[in-house]
């Protein structure tokens, strides 16, 4: 997936300003940056939830707006922060929705197998018949990931997946992201606020500042004192733990 | 997913259907003179169209309410909020005010029905189609506009009523209260055809409803053309309400009760089950209510009194329960 000169304006003010980058296939890429830097808006545009004002998004060598929504749904799964369901829905039923782009509401045996695998992969077997609104935040997040797995897409876009999760669940979430990439070969793009999660679990990082890309590169290229101080306007110290750069800020 | 919950729901639907049939049979046969075939035929010919009307109205309102609630993603709204009831009230008042109670439109039920229906659908499509596009498909604006229009129509209507001839008002009032007494066979057939066409045109969008309740983002993620689907369904909802209202008068408050009863009993996300369940509840409520009106209260109270009374209590119950949970 590559993006050229992507622009979004609200009331004449550009929140995303001629942004161009290419998302490496089969890798984990994190979008970081301060509030209002435009990372979530970029995410919204590449996941077709927000209309772009200018620019081009090429997905598999074809303009994303020329894709049929249903075809796109088989290649690109999106998970946003806003997931409130009024319906009485069990985990199994939610995960089953992941098969909607393939089979509509009439699922076949293959779909059921994939649903079971997705539930097992996220270790949700004991919750499969529980209602979504009776789960904790971490369990619910896992159920949504299981749905995205059942959707069986090459790309997975996650908008702040660690939001509202405690350290335990957030860390597990990031480990899952890593496994999805390493074991299932998915291309994962995520918006993150925690720089250390981004540094530890991603392959590439894209740092945004004022609607533009401040720096896009491998973790080691982006997680430097200079870049981070420029982007976040606070002092940083970089340490190395387990071969990964980790940051301390105060 | 033919699991236990699915089968349980099917069983609940069967029970509801049996109850509905029992109520219908009771309504048809209560106090009928079986000894004389002429009397029998006469009372059946009186009761049958009334019962058909109730069943159709219950279906239209039940389906419209469930679909509307799922679109808005809120279970304590009713399509009343779209202002169709006040539009109906206003249209009738205008006819009586300018043309008089002796006019063709006021005396001919078929003509009145067709005019009501066409006007309501046209106005609703223009207003909601236009505003929907204008507000970027924001459903909350549509609700707000509906509420504003309701009081707008209501104010015009009450102004007209204030300067109206009291005798005219007397005859107007009869048409503004929901009742099943003045429905002709032709209208019933027309309604069935219209609802059938509507269900056929919207069958694909209805199948997407289950996904739409996951929220806009998830629906788009799963490949649904969200805006188009919502627009079509909303027009379908207004058409359904228009049909029910034109047929029996303002009664869509019923929708709130039956849609919530349906959801409470069925506990499922499947809209096919929810719609059928709510419709069956509506049929039982209307037929049962009419039984009470005819045989217990001897027509001294209209059925809408029961609906509004029990609806109000149920609504309070829903609000209180939501607060607790």
């Amino acid at each position: 997936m590559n993006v050229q000169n992507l622009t979004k304006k609200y009331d004449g003010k550009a929140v995303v300003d001629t942004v161009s980058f290419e998302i490496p296939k089969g890798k984990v890429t994190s979008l970081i940056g301060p509030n209002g830097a435009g990372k979530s808006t970029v995410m919204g545009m590449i996941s077709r939830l927000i209309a772009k004002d200018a620019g081009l998004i090429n997905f598999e060598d074809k303009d994303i707006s020329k894709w049929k929504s249903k075809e796109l749904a088989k290649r690109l799964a999106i998970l946003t922060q806003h997931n409130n369901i009024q319906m009485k829905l069990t985990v199994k039923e939610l995960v089953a929705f992941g098969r909607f782009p393939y089979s509509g509401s009439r699922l076949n045996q293959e779909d059921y197998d994939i649903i079971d695998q997705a539930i097992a992969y996220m270790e949700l077997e004991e919750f499969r018949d529980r209602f979504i609104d009776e789960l904790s935040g971490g369990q619910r997040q896992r159920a949504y990931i299981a749905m995205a797995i059942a959707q069986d897409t090459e790309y997975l876009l996650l908008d702040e997946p660690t939001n509202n999760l405690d350290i335990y669940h957030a860390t597990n979430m990031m480990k899952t992201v890593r496994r999805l990439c390493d074991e299932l070969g998915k291309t994962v793009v995520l918006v993150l606020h925690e720089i250390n999660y981004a540094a530890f679990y991603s392959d590439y990082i894209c740092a945004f500042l004022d609607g533009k890309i401040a720096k896009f590169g491998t973790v080691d290229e982006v997680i430097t004192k200079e870049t981070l101080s420029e982007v976040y306007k606070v002092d940083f110290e970089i340490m190395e733990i387990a071969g990964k750069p980790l940051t301390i800020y105060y | 997913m033919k699991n236990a919950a699915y089968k349980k729901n099917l069983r609940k639907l069967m029970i509801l259907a049996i109850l509905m049939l029992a109520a219908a049979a009771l309504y048809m046969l209560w106090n009928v003179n079986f000894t004389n075939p002429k009397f029998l035929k006469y009372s059946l010919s009186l009761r049958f169209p009334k019962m058909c009307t109730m069943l159709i109205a219950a279906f239209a309102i039940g389906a419209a309410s469930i679909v509307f609630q799922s679109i808005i993603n809120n279970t304590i709204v009713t399509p009343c909020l779209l202002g169709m009831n006040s539009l109906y009230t206003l249209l009738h008042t205008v006819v009586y005010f300018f043309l008089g109670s002796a006019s063709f439109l006021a005396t001919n039920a078929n003509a009145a029905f067709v005019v009501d229906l066409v006007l309501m659908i046209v106005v609703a499509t223009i207003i909601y189609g236009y505003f929907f596009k204008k507000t970027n498909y924001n459903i909350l604006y549509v609700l707000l506009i509906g509420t504003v229009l309701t009081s707008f129509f209501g104010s015009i209507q009450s102004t007209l009523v204030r300067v109206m001839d009291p005798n005219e008002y007397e005859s107007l009032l009869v048409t503004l209260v929901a009742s099943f007494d003045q429905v002709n066979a032709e209208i019933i057939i027309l309604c069935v055809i219209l609802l059938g066409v509507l269900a056929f045109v919207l069958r694909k969008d209805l199948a997407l409803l289950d996904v739409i309740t996951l929220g806009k983002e998830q629906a788009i993620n799963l490949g649904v053309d969200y805006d188009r689907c919502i627009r079509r369904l909303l027009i379908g909802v207004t058409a359904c309400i228009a049909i029910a209202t034109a047929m029996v008068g303002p009664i869509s408050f019923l929708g709130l009760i039956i849609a919530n009863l349906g959801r409470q009993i069925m506990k499922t996300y499947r809209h096919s089950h929810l719609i059928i369940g709510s419709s069956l509840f509506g049929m039982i409520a209307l037929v049962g209510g009419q039984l009470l009106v005819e045989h217990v209260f001897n027509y001294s109270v209209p059925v809408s009194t029961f609906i509004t009374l029990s609806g109000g209590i149920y609504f309070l119950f829903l609000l209180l329960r939501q607060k607790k949970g």
Side-chain angles (χ1 to χ4, degrees):
Chain A
M1 179 189 267
N2 81 65
V3 171
Q4 289 158 21
N5 297 325
L6 195 61
T7 302
K8 177 77 190 174
K9 287 180 177 154
Y10 286 121
D11 293 330
K13 187 182 172 293
V15 282
V16 175
D17 193 3
T18 54
V19 163
S20 305
F21 60 92
E22 181 158 359
I23 292 165
K25 227 173 172 178
K27 302 285 181 192
V28 176
T29 307
S30 296
L31 314 182
I32 61 167
N35 292 334
K39 52 191 189 308
S40 278
T41 314
V42 167
M43 189 66 142
M45 286 190 282
I46 62 176
S47 54
R48 77 186 183 287
L49 297 176
I50 301 177
K52 60 180 190 287
D53 287 338
L56 202 63
I57 301 167
N58 276 318
F59 183 72
E60 314 244 295
D61 300 322
K62 193 172 158 191
D63 186 353
I64 205 165
S65 51
K66 297 220 166 66
W67 277 85
K68 273 198 172 146
S69 196
K70 203 149 204 166
E71 284 307 308
L72 212 48
K74 295 179 188 169
R75 286 156 204 260
L76 187 83
I78 313 157
L79 195 55
T80 58
Q81 313 168 44
H82 319 284
N83 291 307
N84 62 337
I85 301 183
Q86 291 269 340
M87 286 276 149
K88 276 286 178 191
L89 206 61
T90 64
V91 169
K92 201 165 116 195
E93 288 164 343
L94 179 77
V95 177
F97 272 118
R99 300 307 296 167
F100 186 81
Y102 300 87
S103 309
S105 348
R106 287 174 206 287
L107 304 183
N108 54 38
Q109 194 51 48
E110 193 198 342
D111 293 321
Y112 288 123
D113 292 343
I114 292 172
I115 292 163
D116 286 340
Q117 282 164 21
I119 290 175
Y121 195 83
M122 291 312 292
E123 293 163 13
L124 285 164
E125 282 106 333
E126 54 179 312
F127 304 113
R128 56 189 299 149
D129 292 317
R130 290 266 292 276
F131 285 114
I132 292 292
D133 54 1
E134 293 164 2
L135 297 180
S136 74
Q139 292 161 348
R140 197 175 309 163
Q141 193 75 291
R142 265 156 63 202
Y144 275 102
I145 298 281
M147 174 185 163
I149 294 173
Q151 211 177 325
D152 196 18
T153 57
E154 201 176 332
Y155 285 76
L156 181 58
L157 309 180
L158 306 170
D159 192 1
E160 302 194 27
T162 56
N163 223 9
N164 300 324
L165 295 186
D166 59 28
I167 303 172
Y168 172 78
H169 287 106
T171 310
N172 276 333
M173 180 73 219
M174 292 309 297
K175 283 182 181 154
T176 306
V177 166
R178 203 56 251 180
R179 279 172 64 209
L180 290 174
C181 176
D182 295 341
E183 294 172 9
L184 304 181
K186 288 184 192 299
T187 307
V188 187
V189 183
L190 52 167
V191 172
L192 276 181
H193 269 298
E194 293 91 340
I195 308 167
N196 286 335
Y197 280 144
F200 201 83
Y201 293 100
S202 330
D203 298 306
Y204 292 88
I205 293 183
C206 184
F208 283 87
L209 179 64
D210 296 334
K212 288 181 184 289
I213 293 180
K215 183 104 181 165
F216 184 24
T218 60
V219 171
D220 289 319
E221 287 166 6
V222 180
I223 303 295
T224 61
K225 242 174 151 170
E226 295 74 32
T227 312
L228 291 179
S229 309
E230 184 202 326
V231 169
Y232 285 98
K233 312 234 165 16
V234 285
D235 292 328
F236 275 87
E237 291 294 337
I238 312 283
M239 288 170 60
E240 205 177 279
I241 293 177
K244 307 266 184 186
L246 289 182
T247 64
I248 296 171
Y249 42 94
Y250 44 86
Chain B
M1 214 172 295
K2 309 269 180 287
N3 53 17
Y6 185 92
K7 282 184 188 140
K8 216 161 117 193
N9 275 336
L10 280 186
R11 209 160 41 232
K12 283 176 191 162
L13 282 181
M14 293 289 280
I15 293 170
L16 277 179
I18 291 167
L19 278 176
M20 189 278 281
L21 287 176
L26 194 63
Y27 179 75
M28 289 296 285
L29 301 176
W30 182 310
N31 251 349
V32 172
N33 189 338
F34 282 105
T35 49
N36 190 333
K38 266 189 187 150
F39 284 140
L40 180 66
K41 208 176 155 199
Y42 177 70
S43 29
L44 288 190
S45 74
L46 271 186
R47 291 175 187 195
F48 187 67
K50 263 198 232 175
M51 201 185 64
C52 288
T53 314
M54 288 189 272
L55 299 188
I56 296 167
F59 172 73
I61 292 169
S65 303
I66 287 282
V67 172
F68 189 68
Q69 292 184 342
S70 290
I71 292 176
I72 310 272
N73 202 6
N74 186 331
T75 53
I76 52 172
V77 295
T78 80
C80 287
L81 292 171
L82 290 173
M84 300 303 283
N85 286 350
S86 354
L87 182 59
Y88 171 89
T89 313
L90 177 64
L91 285 177
H92 276 244
T93 313
V94 166
V95 166
Y96 276 76
F97 187 81
F98 289 108
L99 303 176
S101 57
S103 69
F104 173 70
L105 275 182
T107 48
N108 187 316
N110 287 358
F113 173 79
V114 171
V115 170
D116 277 344
L117 194 63
V118 169
L119 273 178
M120 273 197 277
I121 290 180
V122 167
V123 170
T125 312
I126 291 173
I127 291 178
Y128 294 115
Y130 173 76
F131 279 122
F132 217 38
K133 229 174 214 163
K134 196 86 183 160
T135 57
N136 254 333
Y137 305 100
N138 188 331
I139 203 85
L140 287 175
Y141 279 118
V142 174
L143 276 188
L144 185 64
I145 290 160
T147 318
V148 171
L149 284 179
T150 304
S151 39
F152 176 64
F153 294 147
S155 323
I156 300 178
Q157 195 256 351
S158 62
T159 312
L160 289 180
V161 164
R162 216 158 287 176
V163 290
M164 208 173 197
D165 174 16
N167 294 321
E168 300 275 287
Y169 179 64
E170 192 64 33
S171 46
L172 167 68
L173 202 57
V174 176
T175 72
L176 295 186
V177 177
S179 93
F180 304 95
D181 299 336
Q182 318 125 313
V183 180
N184 301 354
E186 295 100 61
I187 293 180
I188 293 175
I189 294 167
L190 185 61
C191 285
V192 171
I193 294 172
L194 280 175
L195 285 173
V197 169
L198 211 57
F200 181 75
V201 171
L202 293 176
R203 69 193 185 286
K204 278 194 181 143
D205 303 272
L206 286 171
L208 294 177
L209 258 182
D210 295 348
V211 179
I212 281 175
T213 39
L214 292 179
K216 183 175 178 175
E217 277 93 2
Q218 280 300 343
I220 294 175
N221 169 36
L222 294 173
V224 173
D225 188 348
Y226 186 81
D227 291 341
R228 177 172 176 272
C229 188
I230 291 282
R231 191 173 61 231
R232 286 167 62 98
L233 284 173
L234 201 63
I235 290 173
V237 167
T238 46
C240 257
I241 291 297
I243 290 171
T245 311
M247 205 161 65
V248 299
I251 197 178
S252 29
F253 195 48
L254 178 72
L256 178 76
I257 316 171
I258 60 178
N260 274 294
L261 280 174
R263 283 177 197 276
Q264 226 175 344
I265 299 291
M266 308 300 291
K267 279 204 176 46
T268 177
Y269 65 95
R270 281 170 204 280
H271 284 82
S272 44
H273 289 184
L274 286 176
I275 289 174
I276 297 172
S278 306
S279 305
L280 287 173
F281 264 118
M283 292 168 183
I284 295 168
L286 281 185
V287 175
Q290 191 69 17
L291 260 176
L292 282 180
V293 167
E294 290 185 9
H295 298 289
V296 180
F297 294 96
N298 289 322
Y299 292 95
S300 58
V301 210
V303 69
S304 51
T305 312
F306 292 116
I307 292 168
T308 315
L309 195 67
S310 49
I313 294 168
Y314 186 64
F315 187 68
L316 282 177
F317 165 73
L318 282 178
L319 283 177
L320 289 173
R321 200 190 49 161
Q322 276 212 339
K323 223 172 198 171
K324 234 181 1 196

